[in-house]
Amino acid sequence: MDNSGQCCSTQLIDGDGTFIADGLENFIKEVNLRECGLSYAVVSIMGPQSSGKSTLLNHLFGTNFREMDAFKGRSQTTKGIWLAKGAGIEPCTLVMDLEGTDGRERGDDTAFEKQSALFALAVSDIVLINMWCHDIGREQAANKPLLKTVFQVMMRLFSPRKTTLLFVIRDKTKTPLENLEPVLREDVQKIWDSVPKPKAHKETPLSEFFNVEVVALSSYEEKEEQFKEQVASLRQRFFHSIAPGGLAGDRRGVVPASGFSFSAQQMWKVIKENKDLDLPAHKVMVATVRCEEIAHEKYSSFTENEDWCLIEEAVQSGPVPDFGKKLSSILEACLSGYDTEAVYFDESVRSSKRKQLEERLLQLVQPAFQSILGHIRCETLNKFKEAFDKALSGGEGFFVAAHDCTQFYMALFDKGCADAIIAQAKWDTSRVREKLLRDIDAHVASVRDAKLSELTKAYEAKLNEALSGPVEALLDGANNETWSSIRKILLRETESAVTGFSGALSGFSLDEQIKEKMLAAIKDHARGLVEAKAREMAGRVLTHMKDRFTTLFSYDAESMPRVWTGKEDIGAITKLARSASLKLLSVMAAVRLDNEKDNIEKTLTVALLDIKPNATDRSITTVDPLASSKWEEIPTSKTLITPVQCKSLWRQFKTETEHTVTQAISSQEANRRNNNWLPPPWAIVALVVLGFNEFMTLLRNPFYLAVIFVGFLLVKALWVQLDVSGEFRHGALPGLISLSSKFVPTIMNLLKRLAEEGQVPASNNPHGNPAIASKGFRNGVGSSSGFSSTASSDVTSEREAEYSSPSKEE
């Protein structure tokens, strides 16, 4: 591993074809490949030995592959396959330097050449084919047989992944690239056409598997500066190579960076085991039978091992300390016994049967291993729940608490798994780990849902408190600006709630779509509250209409109770009160949160207030506009009171308010009768004409005037004492009955008081002058007159008080 600068490199496959997995794992950790996701590219190069492949890669990608020393002669420099990370290139680019082909060190043994070339095509997005300009048109130097074999085998082993073949022509001559490129493309196409294909790919074109690109470079030794400039230009093509339009922009079947190591190992394993590339060794029948017998004996002895039986029983109840170490030791002793007995048999067969034995033993102990993992998972999950709840109770942010607790306890689980790992097994604990992670995520999700539900209910309650009262008040006092005011309140309160709710949700680190969905739900809830309140008010619209009618009809502009003195225009007042009630009905007939225009008020006014239409509108009004179950331009979902219901409600409203109007008219007529004490003008004229003689008689005899005057005073006193006008206020018959019961007692009371007034002087001076007694009598009469005036004044005051505070029942 080379850690100098920004370049890291490692040997991926050695010269013997061994895949160096540990070196690859260390390399991946060093370059943080697992964090790249799909944002990485793999570039490899192949070509003849000593053709300058490593030099080209070092200049092109800033790698530090070992280059050939020209002064020491042309010999093999790169052995096997090396892997490095390109310096300063985005995205992360892995560069593979393959061992050169056609080298004298391997001679006629071309198996590794074929395997490495096939491996490069299988894992690479871009393959550089390095070739000398003067080799174009040749057979062996141009790698034609190698490409032919690779095309054929790869098509059978792997699905198409759209690899880019970039032919790099080195030390270009005076021949223009425009003339060299067609020759290369024609050769590649001929190789493709000549390769036997399976039935599924008989008609598949080369472009389905490969993109072919050609580039030419000047001589590095003779024109170094020009070479570097051209390489620098070529290097720019590898920036964002996997983006659409890039060198590998249409690649397919990309393995995520976290799985690159495993994928590369499996691909090399498949290539190594392929019969077309690597002939298998001969099998020895005797060795096979004997090795199977030895393996069976060792398996039986393991199942009866006392230490293993104790471990198997212990894992049923809980974790076993040093499980991995103990079981690895027992397995190693069993396998070592097999090796001792089978040492003289064929190595390939021995190894194969040993592997089978190892697999059988591992299969036997795997349930115990899974039980251990299950115990570790449950224990870790319980600890996570406690720590997570404690963190939330301490006021820590939800997302931060979930992230930190998850990271800590997943690391704790990984440590527990590492202690339980069996040395002979390469079991993957990822499924149990994923199960634990799913359980943790499920718990976090349930807690998050509970918290979000609680938060949502809190903001819904705030909206309910902020909207219900004002909306109800606005609908109760319905006017032309009611829905406009409701829209303003809804907008203001919704924006306030959304702002606060959005800030509260920021601590949960939710996906934007989920967050927007929750905010939209809050908005819908606010709108639903208004609509629900409107429907509730619409359900009691008749009561509100009657209340509004009573308020406007029974109280004046200064909120003072009306006294029906006879001067009020009851018709105009009734029309005004009914118009206001109709306004309330029109406002509550539909939900108008979208500021849409409608003709509900106009339709109700024409249909219910008996407004005569114009001559031009007669054709329209021939049909009852309220004989419908829906309003024009108003959707059914926004309709609160249908036209037919409006008509029915108005009829019921008029019926229930008619009594109030009738009472007002009756009170007004009674006041008029009470206040009109003079006879009609015609009666006065008749009295003057017909009573002229009597009038002249009264003038000639003043005694009659005195008698009439005394009689008037007596009648006036009786009128005031009996409160005649007040008794007749509730009707003629009740007044007559009441007066008949009060008449005699009132006369007796009046005579008694007159007698008392007349006896006062006589008792003080019984022998006094009769003239004085006569005078006292006259004074008594005068006192009676004064008493009558006082009584009249009292009754008048009572009547005024009754008019100023009329009964609410009227």
Side-chain angles (χ1 to χ4, degrees), residues 696-718:
M696 294 304 296
T697 303
L698 292 175
L699 292 178
R700 293 190 185 99
N701 191 351
F703 178 76
Y704 290 134
L705 289 177
V707 174
I708 291 173
F709 178 70
V710 172
F712 170 75
L713 293 178
L714 292 174
V715 171
K716 178 65 175 178
L718 285 173

Side-chain angles (χ1 to χ4, degrees), residues 572-740:
I573 295 174
T574 302
K575 184 176 182 181
L576 176 63
R578 286 179 176 175
S579 297
S581 300
L582 187 67
K583 168 67 73 174
L584 178 64
L585 180 62
S586 66
V587 168
M588 291 190 181
V591 176
R592 299 174 178 87
L593 293 179
D594 297 324
N595 198 19
E596 296 178 352
K597 302 297 183 181
D598 58 70
N599 295 322
I600 293 179
E601 183 177 0
K602 181 179 179 181
T603 303
L604 292 177
T605 302
V606 172
L608 302 179
L609 288 184
D610 299 328
I611 298 179
K612 302 299 181 182
N614 297 328
T616 57
D617 294 337
R618 289 177 182 174
S619 60
I620 299 176
T621 57
T622 55
V623 180
D624 186 358
L626 299 184
S628 175
S629 61
K630 63 179 182 178
W631 299 104
E632 294 182 1
E633 303 177 354
I634 298 294
T636 305
S637 60
K638 297 181 180 179
T639 301
L640 301 179
I641 307 174
T642 64
V644 173
Q645 292 172 337
C646 287
K647 186 174 182 180
S648 176
L649 287 170
W650 186 256
R651 186 183 300 113
Q652 186 176 356
F653 164 76
K654 289 184 67 177
T655 300
E656 295 183 10
T657 57
E658 194 68 37
H659 177 66
T660 302
V661 178
T662 303
Q663 281 188 329
I665 294 174
S666 299
S667 297
Q668 194 177 59
E669 290 178 354
N671 283 331
R672 286 175 178 172
R673 287 194 301 269
N674 293 336
N675 294 332
N676 191 14
W677 55 273
L678 292 175
W682 61 270
I684 296 175
V685 173
L687 288 174
V688 171
V689 173
L690 297 178
F692 180 77
N693 294 333
E694 288 77 3
F695 181 69
M696 294 304 296
T697 303
L698 292 175
L699 292 178
R700 293 190 185 99
N701 191 351
F703 178 76
Y704 290 134
L705 289 177
V707 174
I708 291 173
F709 178 70
V710 172
F712 170 75
L713 293 178
L714 292 174
V715 171
K716 178 65 175 178
L718 285 173
W719 184 276
V720 173
Q721 287 292 323
L722 293 174
D723 188 16
V724 177
S725 61
E727 295 296 340
F728 279 94
R729 184 183 305 162
H730 301 290
L733 183 60
L736 291 175
I737 295 174
S738 178
L739 289 176
S740 63

Side-chain angles (χ1 to χ4, degrees), residues 200-273:
H201 296 293
K202 284 289 185 183
E203 303 298 329
T204 304
L206 174 65
S207 59
E208 184 69 19
F209 284 82
F210 301 102
N211 293 321
V212 179
E213 300 283 344
V214 181
V215 67
L217 301 176
S218 299
S219 173
Y220 174 65
E221 296 180 356
E222 298 177 3
K223 301 178 180 179
E224 182 177 355
E225 293 300 325
Q226 189 174 357
F227 171 83
K228 291 181 178 179
E229 291 178 0
Q230 293 169 350
V231 169
S233 177
L234 178 60
R235 173 183 170 86
Q236 295 301 317
R237 299 186 65 182
F238 289 90
F239 280 87
H240 308 293
S241 58
I242 61 175
L247 281 174
D250 55 351
R251 64 179 182 168
R252 295 191 295 265
V254 183
V255 177
S258 60
F260 176 77
S261 175
F262 177 77
S263 175
Q265 294 181 59
Q266 293 302 310
M267 286 183 178
W268 182 250
K269 178 181 178 182
V270 172
I271 292 170
K272 290 284 289 182
E273 293 176 356

Side-chain angles (χ1 to χ4, degrees), residues 546-590:
K546 291 190 295 184
D547 290 344
R548 174 169 288 196
F549 177 85
T550 301
T551 300
L552 295 178
F553 185 81
S554 300
Y555 294 87
D556 58 17
E558 298 179 356
S559 299
M560 297 297 293
R562 295 184 188 274
V563 179
W564 305 104
T565 62
K567 299 178 181 179
E568 296 80 6
D569 188 350
I570 294 181
I573 295 174
T574 302
K575 184 176 182 181
L576 176 63
R578 286 179 176 175
S579 297
S581 300
L582 187 67
K583 168 67 73 174
L584 178 64
L585 180 62
S586 66
V587 168
M588 291 190 181

Side-chain angles (χ1 to χ4, degrees), residues 107-231:
D108 295 333
D109 183 10
T110 60
F112 185 79
E113 294 178 1
K114 296 177 181 180
Q115 292 172 352
S116 60
L118 181 57
F119 179 75
L121 287 172
V123 302
S124 302
D125 302 305
I126 305 168
V127 177
L128 304 178
I129 300 178
N130 195 58
M131 61 187 304
W132 300 106
C133 183
H134 55 261
D135 286 338
I136 296 178
R138 297 179 181 178
E139 185 70 16
Q140 295 294 336
N143 297 312
K144 289 182 180 179
L146 180 61
L147 283 176
K148 184 175 181 180
T149 302
V150 169
F151 284 169
Q152 181 178 356
V153 177
M154 179 181 175
M155 201 160 35
R156 183 168 58 85
L157 294 179
F158 306 101
S159 60
R161 66 188 308 271
K162 209 57 175 295
T163 306
T164 299
L165 299 179
L166 179 58
F167 288 87
V168 182
I169 302 174
R170 303 291 295 274
D171 295 359
K172 69 175 181 177
T173 60
K174 295 181 180 180
T175 305
L177 179 61
E178 292 78 5
N179 297 335
L180 295 175
E181 182 174 353
V183 177
L184 271 177
R185 291 185 179 274
E186 183 180 357
D187 290 344
V188 173
Q189 186 63 46
K190 286 180 179 180
I191 294 172
W192 178 260
D193 295 337
S194 65
V195 170
K197 303 177 183 66
K199 186 177 181 180
H201 296 293
K202 284 289 185 183
E203 303 298 329
T204 304
L206 174 65
S207 59
E208 184 69 19
F209 284 82
F210 301 102
N211 293 321
V212 179
E213 300 283 344
V214 181
V215 67
L217 301 176
S218 299
S219 173
Y220 174 65
E221 296 180 356
E222 298 177 3
K223 301 178 180 179
E224 182 177 355
E225 293 300 325
Q226 189 174 357
F227 171 83
K228 291 181 178 179
E229 291 178 0
Q230 293 169 350
V231 169

